[in-house]
Amino acid sequence: MAANRSRPSLYISVDIEADGPIPGPYSMLSLGAAVAGRQDADGYAPADPEADTFYRELRPISGEYVAPALAVSGLDRARLCAEGAEPGVALREFTQWVEEVSQGAQPVMCGYPAAYDWTFLYWYLMRFTGSSPFGHSGCLDMKTLYAAKARQPLRAVAKRTMPKEVLPSRRHTHHALDDAVEQAELFSNLMAWPGV
């Protein structure tokens, strides 16, 4: 009898920039994504993180914002109110992109840390499209992955505590696409790292 082989996973690094701590009262202003790699029963194969990417800037959904949160991204909220993509349009385009790049595999969102980005992404997907290409739990946190491999408490983990060979060569810029690409590289490094 042949072994049951699971469907491969396609890991997609996602980064968002927002103007507050939670979705609803506050807005996701930009969404960047990059294919990090694919995993099947034979192992993990990294992708070129710049080869398959997605980026949109979105129109805010409320008048509320937290100035320090907005300042992190450097995005102009007034410009986004006039020129940003309608959230429903942007999230439908994102879903279509995820479905295209993950053909034959199950898409998994990965982030560093994933909790913030996943909260906004999942809320926006459900609010504006009614579904998520990742399902309700297709999310992997890189910080947790590192903590498990390094045998460290989660709260002790920061990029500055990671070994040099794990860290990405790209800078963290707080531009959602730049950071999604940077984190895709980090993810592939973590997948290759044997741990301690």
Side-chain angles (χ1 to χ4, degrees), residues 85-150:
E86 287 293 337
V89 171
L91 274 295
R92 283 190 297 276
E93 290 172 345
F94 175 71
T95 296
Q96 182 179 2
W97 176 82
V98 170
E99 290 168 352
E100 287 171 6
V101 298
S102 63
Q103 285 184 2
Q106 190 169 6
V108 177
M109 178 273 193
C110 57
Y112 184 94
Y116 181 77
D117 303 274
W118 176 255
T119 299
F120 273 89
L121 180 64
Y122 187 71
W123 189 93
Y124 264 72
L125 284 165
M126 296 308 295
R127 171 68 178 83
F128 293 104
T129 74
S131 65
S132 165
F134 305 104
H136 69 277
S137 63
C139 172
L140 191 151
D141 177 43
M142 291 181 222
K143 199 169 180 177
T144 303
L145 176 62
Y146 175 78
K149 285 187 155 194

Side-chain angles (χ1 to χ4, degrees), residues 41-113:
D42 297 322
Y44 177 78
D48 172 356
E50 295 179 339
D52 288 311
T53 62
F54 179 92
Y55 180 72
R56 292 292 183 279
E57 293 181 354
L58 287 74
R59 183 169 294 159
I61 60 172
S62 80
E64 294 183 51
Y65 66 93
V66 176
L70 180 60
V72 168
S73 70
L75 291 167
D76 182 334
R77 201 168 190 284
R79 179 184 63 79
L80 293 177
C81 285
E83 300 172 7
E86 287 293 337
V89 171
L91 274 295
R92 283 190 297 276
E93 290 172 345
F94 175 71
T95 296
Q96 182 179 2
W97 176 82
V98 170
E99 290 168 352
E100 287 171 6
V101 298
S102 63
Q103 285 184 2
Q106 190 169 6
V108 177
M109 178 273 193
C110 57
Y112 184 94

